[in-house]
Amino acid sequence: MKHHTTRLQRLAAASLLTIAATSGANAANVTLFGDRTAFLSAIGAAPVVTQDFESFADGANMSGVDILPGVSVSTNLANLKVFQGSGDKELFATTRDLPEAEYHINVGGLYKSFGFDIDAFDPATPGPGFLDFYFADGDTTYQGIPVLPLNATENDPLFQGIISDTPITKIVWREGPEIGGINCCEETALDNFVAVQAVPEPSTTLMLLGGLGMLGLPAVRRRMGWMR
């Protein structure tokens, strides 16, 4: 998968402006990215985990499978599988007689920095599609975020990334209207996931050090994650 910056990606980046929640006791402080290079620059030297699906067989059933440690994807459609497109492999939800696909990325509160590519199979796909972000503190500020334009391709995808000060529990991608009508053809797939590697809570680390006589120490709890 190519990651070069194009006019399409710059337009996508402009559609996802940096947003900071300023109201509500549970508001998360979030930055959204439409450019992979900018996202990777922002997370700096933090260790990452990635998934590009190249190690899976074409057609592999991905329902209930962890694509990253502690992360799985589900869909409103009948099948979720690895699909060998004209380029590389990607995660594809399909059934040809249902409305627009939804991808539910179940993050489980393990990560605060997360990104992925949205591939499309027809540049004429109308938009917008929408992203919903869910957080461990219940913040609902970042839901129904439109993503334009949607006319990406496999080799020129739209990157979507997030860095939050609050653990992310779920990300939902809802693709745009179908080209052939409401009950036609799913047009998008997901690929090239990247997340800042999760680290254990200090209490878990102390338990692991029990053999060194550390179990008697009180656990000092703090929020998990790299981004502060």
Side-chain angles (χ1 to χ4, degrees):
M1 183 67 66
K2 297 178 182 178
H3 300 306
H4 60 277
T5 300
T6 66
R7 180 175 181 273
L8 177 67
Q9 290 169 303
R10 290 194 293 272
L11 286 170
S15 72
L16 284 180
L17 299 178
T18 297
I19 307 172
T22 57
S23 62
N26 292 329
N29 184 20
V30 167
T31 302
L32 301 176
F33 296 83
D35 179 81
R36 180 179 290 269
T37 300
F39 174 80
L40 294 176
S41 177
I43 64 177
V48 298
V49 287
T50 62
Q51 178 59 263
D52 63 8
F53 303 102
E54 297 305 308
S55 63
F56 291 91
D58 183 24
N61 180 6
M62 299 303 293
S63 296
V65 176
D66 279 4
I67 63 168
L68 293 174
V71 177
S72 63
V73 181
S74 57
T75 179
N76 63 324
L77 303 186
N79 299 300
L80 183 68
K81 62 184 182 179
V82 173
F83 177 73
Q84 177 69 67
S86 60
D88 58 4
K89 295 177 183 178
E90 50 258 330
L91 186 67
F92 187 41
T94 182
T95 294
R96 309 302 285 183
D97 58 354
L98 288 177
E100 291 82 14
E102 293 183 4
Y103 292 85
H104 294 243
I105 306 168
N106 307 301
V107 183
L110 295 177
Y111 302 91
K112 296 181 181 179
S113 301
F114 201 92
F116 55 95
D117 284 343
I118 300 173
D119 296 354
F121 302 112
D122 191 327
T125 305
F130 295 91
L131 282 170
D132 299 330
F133 295 95
Y134 296 81
F135 303 92
D137 63 1
D139 181 21
T140 59
T141 305
Y142 307 94
Q143 295 181 14
I145 299 173
V147 178
L148 281 170
L150 268 188
N151 52 330
T153 70
E154 284 189 81
N155 292 321
D156 192 14
L158 297 177
F159 176 78
Q160 310 299 326
I162 179 172
I163 295 178
S164 171
D165 65 351
T166 303
I168 306 158
T169 57
K170 183 169 67 172
I171 302 171
V172 177
W173 163 243
R174 293 176 280 143
E175 70 176 24
E178 309 290 1
I179 293 173
I182 191 169
N183 293 326
C184 177
C185 312
E186 291 65 59
E187 304 299 344
T188 62
L190 305 184
D191 199 4
N192 296 309
F193 288 78
V194 59
V196 170
Q197 184 172 306
V199 295
E201 290 278 358
S203 56
T204 303
T205 302
L206 290 173
M207 291 177 64
L208 293 175
L209 293 174
L212 298 178
M214 300 294 289
L215 281 178
L217 293 178
V220 180
R221 299 191 62 83
R222 60 179 173 82
R223 284 188 175 183
M224 177 179 62
W226 292 90
M227 305 310 300
R228 298 292 180 219

